[in-house]
Amino acid sequence: MKAQRSSYLLVTACLAALLLVSLLVAGCTSNGSTNSVPATAPVTAAATAAPAAPPAAVTATATQATSAAASSGQTLTLTGSTTVLPIAQAVADAYMQNHPEVNIQVSGGGSGVGVQAIINNKVDIGMSSAAVTAAQQAQDPKMNIITIAHDGIAIIVNPANSIQDISLDQVKSIYNGSVTSWSSIPGAGVANSNNQIVVVGRDSSSGTRTYFDQVVMINTNDTLSMHEDNSNGAVLQEVAQTPGAIGYISIGYLTSDVKAVPIITPNGHVIAPSVATVKDKTYPIHRDLYMITNGQPTGLAQDYLNFLLSPQGQQIVVAQGYVALP
């Protein structure tokens, strides 16, 4: 019986040992699960990752800002005729009011400068108050010439001069040096002076001078004593400050500081320079004004020119003292 009891005790001890081992294994497994990330952890991770969407939106905003910055840096450059310059600048100012992201830079220098800048591809738009020559076009076969307005060239003298009118032949005689005294021109004269004529003209790059020489100085040269000024404004100022002076400027520059002298036509009509007489072409020194591009304009240049040629743009032309297109 002792042996049988011992067997029972041994079996019982073994069973107890097995049970203890099972409990220990269960405990270890339970502890492992407790220390690991619970099943709800992926949701928490997703919630943490969710804010990643806004950075994508920020990136898009940054891209838009970069585009806007690039757009704000968009620049259009124009150079050339000082006659066309007031139109170009006024149109640029109006355009930039509606497009503040755009920068339009306008400078003078003369029609020759404007045409050459296009030939050399230095600017977006060149300005000229004289027709482009065949030689200039040969240098740039892609040159695109756009008529943007009409103009007249006024003969001006100092208000102290008593002159009432003048013929183009008389103007020609003054500018080629054949006539040097106002006393040689009927009705002309400057009181308390020796009546010496001070001849004021434009420099060689000027489209106004080119046209003046073509229309008035036919088959003759300008006198070597002529003062060569580099802009309409400079001619206006010199004539306004010099009692014996004579000059020529675009009608868009006329002010009360000088006296615009009417022209006696070959048929005896006396025609004063004005928007009306340029428009109906009765004033003998009238011309077209041009903007020039290197090939067909695109982008900002095209948009600017479209605005200039629109009814609103042509109203600006008139406001500047020039003649709008028909």
Side-chain angles (χ1 to χ4, degrees):
M1 292 294 294
K2 276 185 181 180
Q4 188 175 7
R5 191 183 317 166
S6 299
S7 297
Y8 287 150
L9 290 173
L10 180 61
V11 170
T12 301
C14 289
L15 290 174
L18 288 173
L19 179 60
L20 179 60
V21 169
S22 298
L23 290 173
L24 289 173
V25 170
C28 291
T29 304
S30 175
N31 287 339
S33 299
T34 302
N35 293 335
S36 65
V37 179
T40 55
V43 176
T44 304
T48 304
V58 170
T59 302
T61 304
T63 302
Q64 292 169 359
T66 301
S67 298
S71 179
S72 67
Q74 193 173 10
T75 300
L76 183 71
T77 54
L78 298 88
T79 195
S81 168
T82 63
T83 297
V84 181
L85 190 148
I87 297 174
Q89 187 62 65
V91 171
D93 291 343
Y95 186 93
M96 287 188 289
Q97 283 184 350
N98 295 324
H99 302 83
E101 74 281 3
V102 168
N103 178 27
I104 302 178
Q105 300 173 356
V106 183
S107 62
S111 297
V113 171
V115 174
Q116 199 60 47
I118 287 297
I119 292 171
N120 295 332
N121 204 25
K122 297 294 186 182
V123 295
D124 300 303
I125 300 175
M127 306 179 292
S128 180
S129 59
V132 177
T133 67
Q136 289 171 326
Q137 286 182 294
Q139 295 181 67
D140 183 7
K142 296 186 300 178
M143 190 181 294
N144 183 52
I145 304 165
I146 305 154
T147 302
I148 56 99
H150 305 300
D151 182 35
I153 297 176
I155 305 301
I156 59 171
V157 298
N158 188 278
N161 198 318
S162 61
I163 192 171
Q164 296 301 307
D165 48 47
I166 195 168
S167 71
L168 290 183
D169 283 341
Q170 289 170 329
V171 173
K172 179 179 180 180
S173 296
I174 290 172
Y175 271 86
N176 67 19
S178 300
V179 173
T180 59
S181 175
W182 283 116
S183 58
S184 301
I185 306 295
V190 180
N192 303 316
S193 77
N194 60 6
N195 278 321
Q196 183 71 28
I197 299 175
V198 178
V199 180
V200 182
R202 293 293 305 280
D203 58 273
S204 59
S205 67
S206 164
T208 301
R209 175 173 174 174
T210 298
Y211 188 78
F212 181 84
D213 287 349
Q214 291 171 346
V215 174
V216 179
M217 305 298 291
I218 304 169
N219 298 322
T220 189
N221 297 319
D222 295 304
T223 177
L224 295 177
S225 66
M226 183 179 76
H227 298 184
E228 296 187 0
D229 290 343
N230 63 4
S231 68
N232 284 277
V235 173
L236 174 73
Q237 183 176 19
E238 183 170 0
V239 173
Q241 295 175 349
T242 310
I246 184 173
Y248 53 83
I249 61 172
S250 162
I251 63 169
Y253 278 81
L254 283 174
T255 72
S256 59
D257 294 326
V258 294
K259 182 178 182 178
V261 185
I263 301 296
I264 307 170
T265 65
N267 59 12
H269 294 154
V270 178
I271 311 294
S274 69
V275 168
T277 59
V278 168
K279 189 172 183 178
D280 65 17
K281 298 184 179 180
T282 56
Y283 185 70
I285 322 177
H286 60 267
R287 59 180 173 171
D288 294 335
L289 302 178
Y290 309 96
M291 286 194 179
I292 308 161
T293 57
N294 198 339
Q296 290 295 321
T298 59
L300 180 56
Q302 182 180 27
D303 202 39
Y304 171 86
L305 289 167
N306 286 343
F307 177 66
L308 168 56
L309 297 173
S310 72
Q312 184 180 352
Q314 290 295 295
Q315 286 176 4
I316 295 173
V317 168
V318 174
Q320 291 299 310
Y322 299 87
V323 181
L325 298 175

